[in-house]
Amino acid sequence: MKVYDPNKRVGSILNDLEVAETLVANLTLDEIDDMRDQDSPTSRPHCPSFHTMANMLPDDILIEIFLHLPTHPTCLLRASLVCKQWRFLITDHEFIQRFCAFHQTPPVLGIFTNSTSIPRFLPIGNPPECVTAGAFSLPDPYWQAEDGGLGLAAMTGFNLQLWAWEIDSEGVTGWVLRKTIELGAVLPLEVSCLLSTDNHLARRPPARILGLVEEDDLFFIWTASGVFAIQLKSLQSKKAYED
Amino acid sequence: MAAATDDAGDSNEMIRVVSSDGEHFEMPEAAANLSLVLRHMIEDDCADAAGIPLAVVAAKPLAKIVDYCTKHAAKSSGLTIEEAEELKRFDAEFIEVDTDMLYDLLVAADFMGVEGLSKLAVQRTADLIKGKTPEQNRETFGIVNDFTPEEEEEICKENEWAFQITKPPSRLC
């Protein structure tokens, strides 16, 4: 409890009221502020600029305004950095869902190019409506874009990894590893052996994704002993082409 | 009883409204009908010579709203392409207002249930926000930055993927 300070006492004229009210009235301003902070850590942060225009707007009007911002994620992000109230409303999970439903078509953030030996993500747009080139990079360079929702297939050594770009329950977006397929267990035994020895000799990766057929979940994997088609659901493999 | 009709041509009756600061305005019933609140008042026979009191709408924004409704009610149905274009131009000019008026219009249109005007004001505000840095937005809307530098830095760090790294964090966020 804070030290009694008669100058800061709130509502001392209420002293002869009921006990409960007196207790509230006897709190110092600081204590009331403290209580506010503790009581509702998730509720709207207190804005000191309460008299200004945007802060006086009711939440539902502000939300309506934010819904009409362009779909490029940097726009919402920058708006969320204006003040705590804006951030609170914009980062709300329900709002994000409404925003996606409202705009329907997600923005094109960039393209993947494999014109060089290492496939790269090339952002589209001019700053500030532009994400960083590193935004969609993965540790392993050998990957290709996968499906209609944002997905990636990546090769790390002899494992085929399927990543998805997702928003978690706290509204944080990032790459989530959905599935790892050990190619050694899927491809014929002699290929696995060949590849594991190859791995030591050559600098090239033992297997590479050549392409995929989305509707069939069919991946074409290049190996030194030929090209294999792997069906993701059944995990059946079939040699498609021999070098 | 005031005839509640959706057809602008059938009713010449004028509806009186009174702003929160006591100013009187008049508009055709078809214009008043564009406001959900006024339409309900008219339907409930609350529109009389004394005028419908609008306790939270001051004279300045109310004058604009009366303008908006009158213009839109006169051109409500069967628009030619030229008329539609003209209405679009009217809207574009109409909403070229300072942020104080924009705020008043947002709140008043929402309160009065004037859907078209609400959308117009919301889109205008969104257009003002987009493409601006947080600092520019604070300036435009008179908002005080209530983040601590540490909080700001943390948010920027969390969202590094979205910001170009060629500029220092304070400027890109």
Side-chain angles (χ1 to χ4, degrees):
Chain A
M1 210 55 185
K2 295 201 168 150
V3 181
Y4 172 75
D5 176 3
N7 296 326
K8 286 183 87 180
R9 200 158 281 278
V10 178
S12 54
I13 52 163
L14 299 177
N15 275 347
D16 52 356
L17 287 177
E18 289 174 26
V19 177
E21 283 184 48
T22 312
L23 278 176
V24 173
N26 274 341
L27 289 170
T28 64
L29 283 172
D30 283 349
E31 280 162 358
I32 289 173
D33 269 348
D34 285 350
M35 278 170 67
R36 219 183 258 151
D37 292 344
Q38 285 160 14
D39 276 354
S40 50
T42 53
S43 74
R44 167 134 46 102
H46 174 65
C47 288
S49 51
F50 207 67
H51 60 286
T52 58
M53 163 190 163
N55 292 62
M56 276 201 304
L57 281 176
D59 284 358
D60 54 341
I61 296 182
L62 268 177
I63 287 171
E64 204 55 43
I65 292 166
F66 296 148
L67 274 181
H68 285 76
L69 287 175
T71 47
H72 202 282
T74 56
C75 193
L76 268 188
L77 261 176
R78 270 178 290 122
S80 81
L81 273 161
V82 168
C83 70
K84 288 184 174 176
Q85 183 195 12
W86 287 28
R87 181 155 186 85
F88 177 74
L89 295 176
I90 288 173
T91 54
D92 179 50
H93 191 50
E94 215 171 283
F95 169 77
I96 306 267
Q97 282 180 331
R98 272 187 72 188
F99 189 81
C100 293
F102 182 80
H103 289 282
Q104 291 182 344
T105 319
V108 176
L109 303 182
I111 53 166
F112 294 104
T113 168
N114 56 359
S115 58
T116 56
S117 62
I118 299 172
R120 281 178 308 139
F121 173 74
L122 292 180
I124 286 174
N126 297 317
E129 307 290 304
C130 181
V131 300
T132 58
F136 294 93
S137 66
L138 280 174
D140 186 82
Y142 296 94
W143 45 262
Q144 262 180 355
E146 187 211 346
D147 62 22
L150 210 43
L152 281 178
M155 290 296 298
T156 53
F158 208 32
N159 292 329
L160 175 63
Q161 295 185 327
L162 301 178
W163 297 75
W165 181 251
E166 285 183 354
I167 302 171
D168 70 13
S169 54
E170 280 156 22
V172 180
T173 49
W175 287 109
V176 180
L177 181 60
R178 299 296 296 273
K179 200 171 186 181
T180 300
I181 296 161
E182 289 176 37
L183 292 185
V186 177
L187 295 177
L189 190 65
E190 71 269 16
V191 184
S192 324
C193 295
L194 177 73
L195 291 167
S196 53
T197 48
D198 229 14
N199 204 13
H200 297 290
L201 303 170
R203 296 186 81 192
R204 299 185 78 182
R208 277 184 290 144
I209 303 166
L210 284 181
L212 58 121
V213 183
E214 259 176 52
E215 305 88 72
D216 301 328
D217 283 338
L218 201 62
F219 275 80
F220 288 92
I221 308 290
W222 174 91
T223 72
S225 64
V227 174
F228 290 85
I230 299 173
Q231 220 284 324
L232 280 192
K233 285 199 186 100
S234 62
L235 289 184
Q236 298 284 319
S237 72
K238 198 179 154 192
K239 200 166 203 172
Y241 175 78
E242 203 156 342
D243 264 340
Chain B
M1 166 174 170
T5 167
D6 288 329
D7 192 338
D10 280 4
S11 171
N12 294 322
E13 198 162 334
M14 295 299 276
I15 300 294
R16 287 209 180 93
V17 288
V18 187
S19 70
S20 60
D21 39 358
E23 255 189 72
H24 287 246
F25 296 89
E26 262 190 359
M27 61 180 138
E29 186 175 326
N33 275 337
L34 289 181
S35 153
L36 209 64
V37 166
L38 292 183
R39 197 172 80 209
H40 287 160
M41 299 281 275
I42 295 166
E43 281 167 3
D44 291 345
D45 265 347
C46 297
D48 53 25
I52 299 172
L54 293 165
V56 299
V57 187
K60 243 174 100 182
L62 188 54
K64 289 277 285 179
I65 292 173
V66 168
D67 263 6
Y68 176 90
C69 290
T70 307
K71 181 79 180 176
H72 277 255
K75 307 242 179 211
S76 61
S77 57
L79 287 182
T80 64
I81 295 171
E82 291 80 40
E83 282 173 330
E85 283 295 314
E86 198 224 313
L87 208 54
K88 237 175 151 181
R89 272 199 302 276
F90 168 84
D91 280 357
E93 270 173 42
F94 177 90
I95 207 65
E96 279 283 328
V97 293
D98 61 26
T99 48
D100 285 343
M101 177 53 93
L102 191 57
Y103 164 74
D104 286 341
L105 288 177
L106 279 166
V107 173
D110 185 61
F111 168 76
M112 291 174 67
V114 186
E115 205 192 334
L117 181 55
S118 277
K119 277 188 183 160
L120 186 64
V122 158
Q123 189 59 59
R124 165 76 177 164
T125 317
D127 290 345
L128 284 176
I129 294 172
K130 74 178 180 194
K132 286 200 176 79
T133 64
E135 192 45 51
Q136 287 168 332
N137 269 319
R138 286 182 206 121
E139 248 169 62
T140 305
F141 297 104
I143 298 170
V144 174
N145 182 6
D146 54 357
F147 289 113
T148 64
E150 292 78 26
E151 285 172 327
E152 228 169 344
E153 206 183 306
E154 203 186 312
I155 297 167
C156 287
K157 224 172 157 187
E158 268 172 32
N159 298 290
E160 237 169 6
W161 63 273
F163 298 111
Q164 290 293 328
I165 47 172
T166 46
K167 299 176 197 167
S170 58
R171 280 181 54 213
L172 51 90
C173 294

